[in-house]
Amino acid sequence: MAAIGNRGTVTEATGFNPDADVQALREAMKGTGTDEAAVIQVLAPRTIAQRQHIKEAYKLSVGKDLADDLSSELSGTFRSVVLGLLMLAPVYDAYELENAMTGAGTEEAALIDILASRSNDEMKTINAFYKKKHDQSLEDAVCGDTSGMFQRVLVSLLTAGRDESDKVDEAQAVLDAKEIYEAGEARWGTDEVKFLTVLCVRNRNHLLRVFEEYQKISGRDIEDSIKREMSGCLEDVFLAIVKCLRNKPAFFAERLYKSMKGMGTTDTVLIRIMVARAEIDMLDIKAQFLKMYGKTLHSFIKGDTSGDYRKLLLELCGGE
């Protein structure tokens, strides 16, 4: 795995001057209307850490919160991206999880995307920020908003207890594969707990071995079995776990593709991934996207969005 932080399209801006950036943002918000192009120019090519410095400098010189000011100046999807860019990564994740659970209905996709793809450390930080802001644990919120086996898988993921060593126990891998097979394909009805116990707990290398063994025993790919054995959100979350373990950038590439393919755009998914992955693995996501769909992510975003929203997303996407 590449070192974290160097596979992003957004990298540290050289000659960074927060005060000059604050000046530019104040100019952009002066008078009626906002100069969105100026906002993009300042915020898109800065890292999350640099944006925190801009926020501090803004508060110091203006005496107000930059996010609040931009929030009242901007609207729609463009505003959503800008506000996301101003947050620390775990704060943004916590905010997205909260949004997914507020109001009527639940945006299960957000819960799945975030909980299935974050490391233990990331998850612990998200939990801490959530608790601090809401005086309620993320686990309680998830339990109040979901049910059944889907809830149990989410709780297991947010507990951040996955083994993160790279040790493969050969005998155990064979046993795990056999147990999943016997819990699903080999019986009438599915024992989802077995899937949970293996997929949410074992380390990545071990599970990749389990999937190989599973293929041998069952003659099927684990993903096909999950599709046959499960449905709805439970199917979605187990598939997301397997895909993230196999190839996380490919998982996000597929989510981006599906958010834009066909009629309409699922902006919540598009925004969440572009904001959350810009500094982490957007270069890898773009490479996977091209490999999987024969088109660039850039061309897809360009064809599917418009206006300042499009300009900002394309900045985060980086060149073709």
Side-chain angles (χ1 to χ4, degrees):
M1 299 296 272
I4 237 20
N6 62 355
R7 300 299 302 155
T9 42
V10 173
T11 52
E12 235 171 60
T14 46
F16 173 60
N17 179 346
D19 297 325
D21 285 347
V22 167
Q23 200 44 52
L25 288 170
R26 290 183 68 178
E27 285 294 319
M29 290 187 270
K30 227 194 230 154
T32 46
T34 308
D35 178 359
E36 280 91 354
V39 173
I40 295 173
Q41 214 178 341
V42 172
L43 297 179
R46 309 279 183 272
T47 57
I48 297 168
Q50 289 178 324
R51 293 183 204 122
Q52 304 313 303
H53 290 305
I54 297 171
K55 277 161 67 177
E56 285 159 23
Y58 190 91
K59 193 161 240 176
L60 201 63
S61 67
V62 184
K64 282 166 85 180
D65 189 79
L66 175 59
D68 291 346
D69 280 1
L70 283 170
S71 187
S72 58
E73 291 277 334
L74 309 171
S75 64
T77 47
F78 181 71
R79 172 170 71 184
S80 300
V81 182
V82 168
L83 295 180
L85 292 175
L86 291 172
M87 296 178 202
L88 290 165
V91 174
Y92 181 59
D93 282 343
Y95 166 83
E96 284 289 292
L97 290 167
E98 180 209 350
N99 276 356
M101 294 184 281
T102 36
T106 305
E107 194 214 333
E108 286 90 2
L111 301 180
I112 294 169
D113 279 0
I114 295 171
L115 299 180
S117 66
R118 303 304 191 249
S119 70
N120 286 349
D121 282 348
E122 287 170 329
M123 211 50 251
K124 284 172 186 151
T125 319
I126 294 164
N127 277 318
F129 276 111
Y130 195 95
K131 178 103 173 137
K132 192 173 153 195
K133 182 158 192 264
H134 302 288
D135 269 344
Q136 178 193 30
S137 72
L138 178 55
E139 181 177 336
D140 287 345
V142 166
C143 285
D145 221 63
T146 57
S147 62
M149 203 59 213
F150 178 57
Q151 177 195 91
R152 290 171 65 175
V153 175
L154 295 179
V155 168
S156 176
L157 293 172
L158 64 82
T159 306
R162 182 185 295 284
D163 167 23
E164 284 188 341
S165 72
D166 45 21
K167 201 170 101 273
V168 178
D169 178 338
E170 283 298 330
Q172 187 63 49
V174 174
L175 191 63
D176 285 342
K178 200 161 141 270
E179 294 209 320
I180 298 182
Y181 176 64
E182 281 164 8
E185 291 283 0
R187 55 171 280 175
W188 183 253
T190 308
D191 174 7
E192 291 103 347
V193 179
K194 271 278 171 273
F195 280 81
L196 185 157
T197 308
V198 175
L199 293 178
C200 299
V201 179
R202 309 276 192 258
N203 74 61
R204 178 171 180 263
N205 279 1
H206 180 86
L207 282 167
L208 294 177
R209 257 317 274 127
V210 172
F211 302 156
E212 283 173 17
E213 278 304 315
Y214 184 85
Q215 176 90 40
K216 276 187 212 159
I217 298 169
S218 69
R220 280 185 210 286
D221 186 78
I222 183 79
E223 289 181 34
D224 294 332
S225 285
I226 290 170
K227 285 177 193 159
R228 284 162 54 97
E229 295 294 315
M230 328 240 177
S231 61
C233 301
L234 188 60
E235 175 190 340
D236 293 341
V237 74
F238 276 132
L239 279 177
I241 293 167
V242 171
K243 287 174 177 183
C244 284
L245 288 162
R246 281 179 158 166
N247 184 337
K248 204 178 283 184
F251 168 73
F252 287 121
E254 183 188 1
R255 297 288 293 127
L256 286 167
Y257 176 74
K258 287 185 171 162
S259 76
M260 294 183 278
K261 163 179 97 55
M263 289 302 292
T265 305
T266 316
D267 292 300
T268 48
V269 175
L270 177 56
I271 293 170
R272 182 169 52 248
I273 296 174
M274 294 307 292
V275 170
R277 308 313 292 185
E279 239 171 276
I280 300 174
D281 53 3
M282 190 54 72
L283 294 173
D284 298 327
I285 293 170
K286 282 164 67 173
Q288 287 295 331
F289 194 96
L290 183 58
K291 192 169 141 192
M292 290 157 74
Y293 305 109
K295 293 196 172 75
T296 64
L297 176 58
H298 192 279
S299 68
F300 242 73
I301 292 172
K302 200 172 174 178
D304 224 67
T305 55
S306 61
D308 296 304
Y309 173 49
R310 174 206 273 165
K311 284 180 201 152
L312 182 48
L313 289 180
L314 290 177
E315 281 291 323
L316 296 176
C317 175
E320 284 279 4

